[in-house]
Amino acid sequence: MNIKTLAITCLFIPLLGTGCTDTPQTKQPETSPILAERPPMGWNSWICFGTSVTENEVKANADFMAEHLKPLGWEYIVIDAGWYAPGMLTLEDYESKAPHQLIDSFGRLIVDPEKFPSSRNGEGLKPIADYLHGKGLKLGIHIMRGIPIQAVEANTPIKGTSYKARDIANIDSQCKWYFGFYGIDMSKPGAQEYYNSIFELYESWGVDYVKADDLLSPVYACDEIDAIAQAARKVKRPIVLSLSPGPAPVENVRHLQSVAQLWRISEDFWDNWEALKAQFPLCRKWQKYIVKGHWPDADMLPVGPMAQRAMRGAPRMSHFTPDEQYTMFTLWAMFRSPLMVGCNLPEIDDFTLSLITNQEVIDINQRSKGNRELFETDGIIAWYAQSEDETAHYIAVFNTTDTAIEDYTFPLQAINYIGDGHITDLWKNIPVEIHNNAVTFNIPAHGVKLMKLTK
């Protein structure tokens, strides 16, 4: 997980000659099942709990999701970084040059029993997976690129081979913000087998989703991306693969679509208006690559009660204003980004709950097509989408300026629509009148007007 903005002097250079840009190295078989037919929706522990989330907190958020959110499509519970690291509670612990991590006899990360008591006696995360599956939910976990430094120091064997950790480790390759791993030299015998072994372990736990970190930026780790994708496909259990952190190089989109179900298009996103504004050009750049089963990811939604023990900022309600939160959720919906909330769900406030349970807006995210930006003029940005059955048109007009706009007129010819119809404001659930084939409305500063047009 990328904690802070890095001063990166290198350029995002497409890896010409490696197969990552023009001809994917790892092609998904045409007969492969679509693992994420719609953008994944769920909860991730990072924004609220950092590296210290506990079993009880995971279960409490799962309980809330199962009772209140699952009917709307929310289904993933993702345990982010630190599930393998006893005592890792603070940013200083996380940024240590030699973080304490638990491994098994084959150099694979195993679960910290202090945070997850049910993992004792070699159970791993299986008891939690069973708990979630019993509620109709799915388990996700975060992993890092490479092999733990503890495995290299102990020179642990690689399961099913005669090779050992030092045979495959590239000690000159380390993450720029977390120092618990060395990269893996995929030209070495035993390298692919190591990645196969960790996914074999995750399959035994019942994992449904893996968020693999330190793969896209500042270095696009093509060989290890391919190895992780191959390992995920080798196991019998369907495992959705998410790649982090962004920004992913758009030049490598064909490779990304061949190996993963979702990938990050930005750095870590927090509750800051300038960061939200910066998502608009990124979504514009990636909009033509929105396809079923493969989703450019605008990152988690920092809403509601957050940062109880996070790596950035004190415990708080989201710094986003209500209008900014409408803007954020609308952009994620119109762009069809995966939706991962980061607040502590049992403490959720009424406004945030209403935000993430608006069925009409979720339907745009899950069941629309033709999603694209129409125009950007002086800070006014319009997006368009259509329902899958073509019975509804969706129009979002964003005001990214610092000044409220009154009596803004949107001509329906902009979406090639002429004639009668009914328009509903999807956030206020009120009708909007059509005059002369146009609609006129006010947009607050940093706000949005989201409308549904039907015959």
Side-chain angles (χ1 to χ4, degrees):
M1 192 48 85
N2 189 359
I3 294 296
K4 49 193 178 183
T5 302
L6 300 171
I8 302 169
T9 57
C10 62
L11 298 175
F12 290 120
I13 303 174
L15 300 182
L16 297 174
T18 67
C20 279
T21 305
D22 296 320
T23 306
Q25 279 188 330
T26 307
K27 291 187 177 181
Q28 186 171 2
E30 292 183 5
T31 57
S32 294
I34 297 176
L35 299 185
E37 184 171 354
R38 305 186 189 280
M41 299 171 59
W43 173 87
N44 182 293
S45 61
W46 181 256
I47 286 178
C48 194
F49 299 108
T51 58
S52 64
V53 69
T54 67
E55 180 168 342
N56 286 340
E57 288 163 339
V58 169
K59 287 182 174 180
N61 279 274
D63 291 345
F64 186 95
M65 180 178 288
E67 182 177 355
H68 301 285
L69 304 179
K70 184 178 178 295
L72 297 166
W74 302 92
E75 61 177 346
Y76 287 97
I77 295 290
V78 183
I79 302 171
D80 213 286
W83 51 266
Y84 41 79
M88 185 178 285
L89 303 176
T90 67
L91 180 60
E92 290 73 23
D93 297 332
Y94 185 82
E95 293 183 332
S96 165
K97 294 298 182 182
H100 181 34
Q101 303 172 130
L102 300 179
I103 61 171
D104 68 6
S105 60
F106 296 113
R108 304 175 297 184
L109 292 175
I110 55 175
V111 185
D112 172 16
E114 296 175 9
K115 297 170 186 167
F116 299 92
S118 68
S119 69
R120 292 188 171 94
N121 301 317
E123 290 293 313
L125 289 173
K126 189 176 187 307
I128 289 184
D130 291 345
Y131 185 84
L132 299 182
H133 295 158
K135 292 179 174 288
L137 303 177
K138 297 178 179 179
L139 171 64
I141 62 171
H142 170 280
I143 67 170
M144 296 294 296
R145 173 180 69 90
I147 186 167
I149 58 174
Q150 287 84 0
V152 178
E153 290 168 354
N155 203 23
T156 53
I158 297 166
K159 186 178 181 184
T161 77
S162 60
Y163 302 104
K164 294 190 174 183
R166 292 177 194 166
D167 295 326
I168 66 171
N170 179 1
I171 62 173
D172 295 322
S173 173
Q174 266 196 303
C175 178
K176 302 299 183 184
W177 65 88
Y178 183 70
F179 305 105
F181 292 78
Y182 294 120
I184 293 178
D185 183 343
M186 295 309 304
S187 70
K188 298 294 182 65
Q192 183 63 55
E193 287 79 4
Y194 178 77
Y195 274 124
N196 292 348
S197 76
I198 67 172
F199 274 83
E200 178 186 292
L201 181 62
Y202 305 152
E203 180 184 38
S204 74
W205 291 347
V207 171
D208 305 290
Y209 175 111
V210 169
K211 176 182 176 180
D213 211 343
D214 190 34
L215 288 167
L216 304 179
S217 173
V219 175
Y220 192 84
C222 183
D223 288 349
E224 289 188 81
I225 292 172
D226 282 336
I228 289 169
Q230 182 175 325
R233 285 201 292 270
K234 185 177 176 63
V235 298
K236 294 180 180 179
R237 184 176 188 81
I239 296 179
V240 170
L241 182 58
S242 167
L243 304 181
S244 287
V250 73
E251 298 88 349
N252 291 352
V253 63
R254 289 183 61 199
H255 181 247
L256 290 164
Q257 290 173 340
S258 75
V259 294
Q261 284 69 53
L262 54 156
W263 56 88
R264 284 270 301 283
I265 66 170
S266 72
E267 295 182 347
D268 281 10
F269 177 72
W270 288 84
D271 48 339
N272 173 277
W273 170 246
E274 291 303 316
L276 179 51
K277 282 179 66 176
Q279 295 294 84
F280 281 91
L282 290 171
C283 291
R284 180 188 309 129
K285 181 166 68 172
W286 282 95
Q287 63 185 354
K288 62 183 177 180
Y289 303 114
I290 302 168
V291 296
K292 182 170 70 172
H294 305 283
W295 308 104
D297 181 5
D299 202 13
M300 290 177 278
L301 296 160
V303 295
M306 53 182 284
Q308 286 194 3
R309 299 188 303 278
M311 298 297 173
R312 183 176 293 189
R316 62 187 181 275
M317 293 296 293
S318 175
H319 285 155
F320 283 132
T321 67
D323 285 325
E324 290 167 351
Q325 292 181 62
Y326 286 134
T327 288
M328 174 179 57
F329 205 90
T330 300
L331 179 60
W332 267 238
M334 296 295 286
F335 179 62
R336 300 200 73 187
S337 172
L339 301 176
M340 293 285 168
V341 294
C343 64
N344 189 30
L345 292 174
E347 297 179 343
I348 199 169
D349 58 295
D350 290 341
F351 172 79
T352 305
L353 185 60
S354 71
L355 187 78
I356 66 173
T357 56
N358 186 311
Q359 181 69 74
E360 294 267 25
V361 182
I362 290 173
D363 282 345
I364 300 174
N365 177 267
Q366 296 287 293
R367 300 172 182 86
S368 61
K369 64 181 183 178
N371 309 69
R372 63 189 184 274
E373 184 183 282
L374 293 173
F375 60 80
E376 191 279 327
T377 306
D378 299 326
I380 303 300
I381 302 173
W383 271 72
Y384 170 78
Q386 190 177 28
S387 62
E388 287 180 343
D389 62 7
E390 301 184 0
T391 62
H393 304 270
Y394 302 109
I395 304 160
V397 184
F398 301 90
N399 176 11
T400 66
T401 76
D402 297 331
T403 304
I405 295 176
E406 297 183 0
D407 298 329
Y408 181 86
T409 297
F410 181 89
L412 296 182
Q413 291 95 325
I415 62 168
N416 297 318
Y417 185 93
I418 298 175
D420 296 330
H422 303 279
I423 296 185
T424 304
D425 181 320
L426 293 186
W427 286 121
K428 295 181 179 179
N429 194 28
I430 58 174
V432 179
E433 295 185 1
I434 300 175
H435 293 291
N436 299 321
N437 210 52
V439 287
T440 300
F441 44 81
N442 302 332
I443 322 174
H446 302 185
V448 65
K449 191 76 167 182
L450 177 60
M451 298 168 286
K452 178 181 180 179
L453 168 62
T454 57
K455 280 287 191 181

